[in-house]
Amino acid sequence: MGARRTRPRFLLWAALAGLISGAVFLAAAELVALIAARSASPILAVGSFVIDIVPQPVKEFAIAAFGAADKIVLLGSLGLAVAIASAIAGILQYLRPHLGVAALVLAGVLSGAAIVTRASAEALSFIPPLAGTIAGSVILIVLIRRLQGWREDVTSGEGAAKGVNRRGFLLTSAIAGASAVIAGVAARAVSAATSSVDAIRGALRIPEPRSRVTIPEGAELDVDGISSLYTPNDQFYRVDTALTVPTIDPATWRLVVDGMVDQRIELSFDDLIGRGLDEYSITLTCVSNEVGGNLVGSARWLGVPVRDILALAGVQSGADMVLSRSVDGYTASTPLAALTDEGTDAILAVAMNGEPLPLEHGFPVRMVVPGLYGYVSATKWLTELKVTTFAQDEAYWTPRGYDAEAPIKFSSRVDTPKAGAPVAAGTVAIGGVAWAQTVGIDRVEVQIDDGDWQEATLSTAVNVDTWVQWFLEWEAEPGTHYVTVRAVNRDGEVQEQERAPIAPNGSSGWQRTLVTVTG
């Protein structure tokens, strides 16, 4: 049997050697990160880097297509890319010794750069990718040498008699592969277990608020299919740039207020809640919310007014923006006026719907500012407030095609009947929600096909910052019909009809739903 005929088989074995070496690379890096720098996971760092650099249309597509699963899809895609690249490195090392190792070294350099340039990088963050590179390279060299020895045995006709290199390659591959899986999974599990704050959050007792929101009679309509007045925490939308949820112990959390202030201050979690908490009812909206979309939700929050915290530091004249920073480096630019206005309930929230903030919603402290899209106001895992100016500082999303200031465009949504879900002829309840934070909804109007606009029945508003429910009874006749909805706010303004894309400052347009009525 000639070398030419055996090459395809050995190329497959070389690809397997590359896959195993890549697994060893990641496992060794995760294991060392557990000891040296918990935040220095190569695949997570590269994933975060990808999130930062992908163009705005790609981000919007991912959110629209995958929703809350967008980060899982990203991690899966990265895993597939790593597997393919590792297999190629194995083949390169087999065909041209040292090229495969060079590919692993390049991967180590790139992942190391992604790690050390993160805002959360630690002093020893460079060690995990370095250790992974060394371990992966050593395994790749050993496996390919044994594979080449196996090939030489076969081509020389000595394979059946000796088979030492074949057994050595297979045994080393099995040991290295199994070790990588065990070590990698164990390292991730230990890291998650030891850094988890679930138990701390569960034991945390938030003080009773000094005041609670009064829910008026009629605030929630008894109509099937309409979104509830308050969105359950496990159903509340999540859109952020964190590939993995930061875990922060409230005992070590600190908030720094600096920049254009009379004095820099630093507050602990106990300092913050010790100032006294109040309850607020606020609807949040993501700028990525399409017309009729579900990236909007209402909750009852416990928190402290941001203006009170800024007053402690003393805001200097000339400032017009506060740059808030998350523990993972994310930043948001919030107009100073929105945070200091006595009529706006901009808060530092510590609880959501009767419990400490969920980890994925910013535990232990996040910002909540009514009337502004989340990307300029709702910073999770908050760690810094820098008083500054729009001319001097720029936040995460501004250079990525979004406006630096982003007041929410008031809107309305049809929750029921849903498009694609036929309804029986007769009396049908059309219903949904409408929101106009800081102003309030005056009325909601519904149009069937090209008929007259009909005023819907509204729920009693909790306040101007919380959405209202609405419904209209419709005598539906068999066939297909278009249902269109629009809102009018308390300033007398009619919801914008013209369609606008998400970027640069939020979508607009009337929702028009096609409903099929059966006989």
Side-chain angles (χ1 to χ4, degrees):
M1 184 181 296
R4 184 181 301 275
R5 295 180 58 192
T6 63
R7 171 167 288 189
R9 173 167 57 126
F10 284 105
L11 287 179
L12 290 176
W13 286 118
L16 176 63
L19 282 171
I20 293 172
S21 301
V24 169
F25 176 110
L26 293 176
E30 292 287 352
L31 200 58
V32 174
L34 190 63
I35 302 170
R38 293 288 178 89
S39 63
S41 166
I43 197 148
L44 296 183
V46 172
S48 297
F49 176 74
V50 170
I51 289 175
D52 287 349
I53 66 169
V54 294
Q56 171 266 329
V58 177
K59 293 178 190 286
E60 298 299 348
F61 169 78
I63 293 171
F66 307 115
D70 60 341
K71 296 172 180 62
I72 296 175
V73 172
L74 173 58
L75 285 174
S77 301
L78 284 176
L80 179 61
V82 168
I84 294 173
S86 298
I88 292 173
I91 294 173
L92 288 175
Q93 185 70 14
Y94 176 78
L95 296 175
R96 294 287 186 273
H98 309 310
L99 279 184
V101 171
L104 280 183
V105 171
L106 178 61
V109 170
L110 293 177
S111 61
I115 290 170
V116 300
T117 55
R118 301 301 297 173
S120 57
E122 304 170 46
L124 301 179
S125 289
F126 71 94
I127 295 181
L130 176 62
T133 301
I134 294 172
S137 299
V138 169
I139 292 298
L140 183 60
I141 291 171
V142 170
L143 288 178
I144 294 300
R145 282 181 179 174
R146 289 191 180 277
L147 182 61
Q148 289 169 336
W150 178 9
R151 180 196 61 192
E152 291 171 4
D153 288 347
V154 171
T155 55
S156 66
E158 299 178 357
K162 294 184 179 179
V164 174
N165 285 304
R166 177 179 63 84
R167 288 192 297 272
F169 173 80
L170 296 176
L171 182 61
T172 304
S173 296
I175 294 174
S179 300
V181 171
I182 293 171
V185 171
R188 275 280 101 195
V190 171
S191 179
T194 56
S195 63
S196 173
V197 295
D198 276 325
I200 296 173
R201 177 180 174 274
L204 185 64
R205 295 295 175 262
I206 302 294
E208 282 293 311
R210 299 174 300 187
S211 64
R212 288 197 176 274
V213 173
T214 299
I215 309 299
E217 185 177 351
E220 189 145 22
L221 301 176
D222 185 18
V223 178
D224 290 341
I226 297 180
S227 299
S228 59
L229 177 60
Y230 293 113
T231 311
N233 290 352
D234 61 355
Q235 297 175 27
F236 208 96
Y237 76 90
R238 178 195 168 195
V239 177
D240 52 55
T241 62
L243 192 55
T244 56
V245 177
T247 52
I248 307 164
D249 186 343
T252 60
W253 176 85
R254 295 293 183 273
L255 173 66
V256 171
V257 183
D258 59 6
M260 298 175 64
V261 295
D262 295 335
Q263 60 175 341
R264 178 186 184 276
I265 63 171
E266 184 173 310
L267 300 176
S268 67
F269 187 77
D270 287 342
D271 291 334
L272 183 66
I273 64 175
R275 297 188 59 81
L277 302 174
D278 292 289
E279 187 176 55
Y280 302 84
S281 178
I282 300 172
T283 295
L284 294 185
T285 310
C286 180
V287 72
S288 296
N289 193 49
E290 297 276 9
V291 173
N294 60 2
L295 299 181
V296 56
S298 289
R300 291 175 294 113
W301 312 87
L302 294 188
V304 176
V306 180
R307 60 178 172 270
D308 292 354
I309 303 304
L310 294 177
L312 290 175
V315 175
Q316 296 177 351
S317 62
D320 61 9
M321 185 259 275
V322 172
L323 190 74
S324 55
R325 187 178 301 275
S326 169
V327 70
D328 66 349
Y330 173 84
T331 53
S333 55
T334 309
L336 178 62
L339 301 178
T340 56
D341 185 352
E342 290 287 340
T344 302
D345 289 331
I347 63 170
L348 302 183
V350 298
M352 179 180 183
N353 288 330
E355 62 181 73
L357 290 172
L359 301 187
E360 64 272 19
H361 289 294
F363 182 82
V365 181
R366 67 170 295 168
M367 288 177 65
V368 173
V369 182
L372 298 176
Y373 284 118
Y375 81 94
V376 298
S377 67
T379 303
K380 302 174 184 176
W381 313 292
L382 183 67
T383 188
E384 181 186 6
L385 296 175
K386 179 184 178 183
V387 180
T388 181
T389 65
F390 283 103
Q392 180 177 336
D393 285 297
E394 196 173 51
Y396 181 91
W397 283 108
T398 307
R400 292 169 170 82
Y402 289 84
D403 286 352
E405 302 181 55
I408 292 172
K409 297 176 180 178
F410 74 95
S411 190
S412 54
R413 184 180 74 194
V414 177
D415 289 339
T416 185
K418 295 185 179 297
V423 297
T427 303
V428 174
I430 304 172
V433 290
W435 56 92
Q437 289 95 327
T438 73
V439 177
I441 294 292
D442 179 68
R443 65 184 185 275
V444 171
E445 299 174 334
V446 179
Q447 182 186 55
I448 310 299
D449 297 321
D450 295 320
D452 295 333
W453 288 98
Q454 303 175 61
E455 186 170 343
T457 298
L458 293 186
S459 64
T460 304
V462 175
N463 58 31
V464 296
D465 294 329
T466 306
W467 66 16
V468 294
Q469 300 171 330
W470 60 266
F471 84 99
L472 176 76
E473 289 189 342
W474 169 40
E475 293 303 320
E477 299 179 355
T480 56
H481 303 273
Y482 280 103
V483 174
T484 307
V485 62
R486 69 183 184 187
V488 179
N489 69 16
R490 291 184 181 179
D491 287 340
E493 299 169 332
V494 178
Q495 179 183 334
E496 179 65 43
Q497 178 181 6
E498 184 178 352
R499 288 274 177 159
I502 289 169
N505 55 16
S507 64
S508 67
W510 297 345
Q511 183 183 358
R512 196 164 188 248
T513 304
L514 181 64
V515 178
T516 299
V517 181
T518 60

